[in-house]
Amino acid sequence: MLHTKFFEPVCVWDVKASLGEGVVWIESEQCVYFVNILEKKIYRYHPETQAKTVWDAPKKPAFIFPTTGFVLLCGMEDGLYWFDPVQGTFTQWFAMNETHPNNRLNDGYIDSLGRLWFGTMDNEEKEPSGSLYLLTYDEDGKISSVLQDKDYVVTNGPVIMENHDILFHNHSNEQVIYKFDWHESGSISNKTSFAVLENGYPDGMASDSQDNLWVCLYAGNQINVYSQDATLLQTIPFPCPNITKITFGGENYQTAYVTTAIKDMTVQDKQEYPLAGGLFAFDVSVPGKSQNLFKISEHVLLK
């Protein structure tokens, strides 16, 4: 267990990931999972034993989440897969067929009802072809993606604060964090600008038990923590520039785990920031929230 003073990130796995992302705490395993999108890797880190496991993925993985079943839900570039960490196998469940040929899945979030909200983006990060979706399926296993918002170049960090009926979502390229009214029925409305950044690009996000919003800054060297009224409460500096995703885990959810990336860094940058691309951890004074599980049933798994 880490016992850092103040907010000082420590590199717990020097992965040197090209694009580390999708970090999540799996309560049942007491482990951290995360992905390396560009190198098609999935990682598992066990804090208590320091055990580290790496799997090769068949496609570019974007996120990974625990489910109510025995498998994990993994978002790949072309759709959703079941990942069995015991067998190390991947089974495609839902193929995402968008009209833009260069789009891929990016960030995601599981709400308190066990539903997946996820974004797509232009793989070349140029065209505003990305969208935000809600995945739905009925008891017969029919799956559909419901469009919620569009015209993003790079989507990131959907986070929902259900007790406030708010969804946050990033248009990373525009350096804007958007705020929506979230409806339990499965829709969003009243899109407004929550914050516009000057330093760095808003990437992955999480909320803590006091409903503060933690925003990772790509090319920003830090995490920003905002209150509900968009007041900047805290900045947590990192010893590397590209901060991509944060989750809370460990005992009482008082440890933050954060992924980073070496993508877009020069040779000089890598020499200056040798821990870039690593998995970091630090203690927090305000606990995070437990990770929601994606809701599935046996007949869906068998399809």
Side-chain angles (χ1 to χ4, degrees):
M1 175 65 65
L2 290 170
H3 295 289
T4 56
K5 193 175 183 180
F6 306 114
F7 294 89
E8 299 178 359
V10 174
C11 183
V12 295
W13 192 350
D14 187 12
V15 181
K16 291 182 170 41
S18 295
L19 189 52
E21 267 287 4
V23 64
V24 64
W25 176 258
I26 307 292
E27 178 68 27
S28 62
E29 298 185 47
Q30 292 290 292
C31 286
V32 175
Y33 280 75
F34 61 105
V35 305
N36 184 343
I37 297 176
L38 299 182
E39 294 167 14
K40 302 178 184 177
K41 303 285 186 183
I42 293 177
Y43 304 91
R44 179 175 63 194
Y45 170 70
H46 192 275
E48 185 175 347
T49 65
Q50 307 294 303
K52 301 175 177 72
T53 310
V54 184
W55 294 272
D56 292 317
K59 301 288 182 67
K60 292 177 181 176
F63 55 77
I64 191 163
F65 289 114
T67 72
T68 56
F70 63 89
V71 292
L72 305 179
L73 178 68
C74 185
M76 299 279 193
E77 57 185 304
D78 61 347
L80 301 172
Y81 290 67
W82 303 123
F83 172 52
D84 183 344
V86 176
Q87 302 296 327
T89 56
F90 298 84
T91 305
Q92 189 175 42
W93 176 49
F94 174 68
M96 188 69 187
N97 296 312
E98 284 202 294
T99 56
H100 195 286
N102 290 325
N103 271 14
R104 69 167 174 83
L105 268 66
N106 201 34
D107 212 349
Y109 179 83
I110 306 297
D111 69 19
S112 58
L113 299 177
R115 301 175 302 193
L116 172 69
W117 299 72
F118 68 97
T120 59
M121 60 170 278
D122 175 26
N123 203 33
E124 297 179 0
E125 302 181 18
K126 295 178 180 179
E127 300 295 327
S129 56
S131 299
L132 175 66
Y133 294 92
L134 169 65
L135 187 81
T136 64
Y137 69 91
D138 58 29
E139 289 304 314
D140 293 326
K142 182 180 179 182
I143 315 166
S144 60
S145 54
V146 181
L147 180 67
Q148 300 289 327
D149 197 29
K150 60 181 182 177
D151 299 328
Y152 292 83
V153 179
V154 176
T155 59
N156 259 310
V159 168
I160 300 172
M161 297 181 185
E162 287 92 343
N163 54 327
H164 295 284
D165 296 323
I166 297 172
L167 180 144
F168 295 95
H169 192 229
N170 294 333
H171 191 164
S172 296
N173 296 62
E174 300 294 329
Q175 297 178 285
V176 179
I177 303 171
Y178 287 114
K179 178 180 178 181
F180 300 80
D181 291 338
W182 175 81
H183 308 284
E184 191 174 283
S185 60
S187 64
I188 54 177
S189 61
N190 192 27
K191 180 180 182 180
T192 58
S193 175
F194 175 75
V196 179
L197 304 182
E198 295 182 358
N199 174 43
Y201 302 86
D203 205 317
M205 301 190 290
S207 61
D208 62 28
S209 58
Q210 293 183 2
D211 286 327
N212 300 311
L213 186 66
W214 297 60
V215 184
C216 297
L217 302 188
Y218 193 94
N221 294 76
Q222 66 189 39
I223 291 176
N224 286 356
V225 185
Y226 296 93
S227 66
Q228 281 292 303
D229 62 1
T231 299
L232 181 60
L233 302 175
Q234 176 85 36
T235 60
I236 300 111
F238 270 72
C240 54
N242 302 325
I243 321 305
T244 58
K245 185 74 172 181
I246 178 172
T247 193
F248 297 100
E251 186 177 359
N252 299 320
Y253 294 90
Q254 288 192 277
T255 301
Y257 293 97
V258 180
T259 47
T260 62
I262 61 175
K263 179 178 178 287
D264 302 321
M265 292 176 62
T266 65
V267 173
Q268 183 178 347
D269 290 337
K270 294 174 185 177
Q271 292 174 348
E272 183 177 357
Y273 304 108
L275 297 177
L279 173 69
F280 288 80
F282 59 92
D283 287 350
V284 294
S285 56
V286 177
K289 297 177 181 177
S290 60
Q291 171 63 48
N292 295 321
L293 305 180
F294 180 70
K295 186 178 179 181
I296 59 177
S297 56
E298 290 184 5
H299 75 277
V300 170
L301 273 177
L302 293 174
K303 289 186 177 295

